[in-house]
Amino acid sequence: MDASIAFYSALTGREPVAQGTMDSEPFGRTQGLPNAKLRYATINIDGLGIDLIQFQDPVGERTNGKANRPGSMHLCFKVDDFDAVYQRMKDAGYDFLGDDYTFIAGEVTPEAALGTKVAYFNDPDGTNLEIIEPKGGFANWPCRGRPRQGQGMAGPCFRPRAPASARPSPRPRGRRARAVGPPRPR
C-alpha cells in the first residue's frame, strides 16, 4: 500500500485526501466477499478518486493484467507536458514497459492522431497505465463523459499536476459576481 501511495503521488503530484482502515462484514458482502478488512487511500484528481485498497482479510491474489489478455484495461493520464511527466517518473525510479512512442504516418489512423506521445507502465500492483500528450484531433478528446463520434478514445482523462513545490502560489480570489436579478433587500 505504501508503495502504491508513493507511486500515485509521484505520478499525479497529489497526496491522498483520505487514508484509513475498515473491518466490515457488510461491506465485504458488497464486494462478494465474506469480510473486508482493509487499508485504503484516496487521491482526488479533477473530481475523480483513485481508491487504493489493500485487502488484509481475505487476502487476494495478484492479477495478471498484461495488455493482450482478454478483459485487460488501462487507465490513461492525459498530460500537458509529456516529457516532464515521463522524466519525473523515471527520476522517481519507476520503469516503463518499453520506449515512449510518438504516433507517426503509416502506423496509425486517423492521421489527426499524428504527433501524439504515449508511454505505458504498471503501478506497483500491476495495473496497466498510460501517459498521453494528444496532438491534432486527439487534443480535442473529451475529459469527461462519452467520446465524440469517431474519436475512438473514451474519457475520462486526468491531468497530473506538478508537485506542490513546483506550482505557483494560488492567486487571491476577488469578490464573486452575483447572478443578475432584482436587488437584494438590505
Side-chain angles (χ1 to χ4, degrees):
M1 172 64 89
D2 295 329
S4 291
I5 292 170
F7 176 87
Y8 281 97
S9 294
L11 174 62
T12 64
R14 300 175 188 206
E15 295 297 319
V17 295
Q19 293 188 63
T21 62
M22 177 183 282
D23 191 354
S24 171
E25 288 181 18
F27 183 77
R29 288 192 298 270
T30 71
Q31 305 292 310
L33 302 168
N35 185 36
K37 181 176 181 183
L38 55 87
R39 285 180 60 200
Y40 71 89
T42 299
I43 296 176
N44 281 341
I45 302 176
D46 300 330
L48 186 95
I50 297 176
D51 290 333
L52 305 173
I53 302 170
Q54 176 188 18
F55 276 85
Q56 297 167 321
D57 181 33
V59 174
E61 296 177 24
R62 185 182 173 112
T63 61
N64 181 352
K66 291 196 183 257
N68 63 343
R69 290 184 62 121
S72 82
M73 54 73 68
H74 71 267
L75 183 61
C76 176
F77 290 84
K78 180 179 179 183
V79 298
D80 294 324
D81 186 343
F82 180 91
D83 296 329
V85 174
Y86 186 86
Q87 193 58 51
R88 183 170 77 216
M89 295 302 291
K90 296 281 261 179
D91 291 347
Y94 298 111
D95 294 323
F96 288 85
L97 297 175
D99 296 332
D100 60 308
Y101 176 76
T102 301
F103 292 5
I104 59 174
E107 293 186 358
V108 65
T109 61
E111 288 196 14
L114 298 181
T116 294
K117 293 181 180 183
V118 296
Y120 297 90
F121 53 110
N122 295 122
D123 76 3
D125 296 311
T127 302
N128 298 320
L129 303 171
E130 172 189 6
I131 55 173
I132 182 171
E133 182 180 348
K135 298 291 183 190
F138 273 20
N140 298 321
W141 66 313
C143 285
R144 289 186 181 80
R146 297 182 170 278
R148 294 186 192 117
Q149 184 66 30
Q151 281 189 309
M153 297 182 106
C157 64
F158 311 96
R159 294 186 179 204
R161 68 163 93 156
S165 60
R167 289 192 307 266
S169 299
R171 293 182 308 188
R173 301 202 185 255
R175 211 173 125 169
R176 289 188 183 183
R178 189 167 62 82
V180 175
R184 287 192 272 190
R186 293 190 184 235

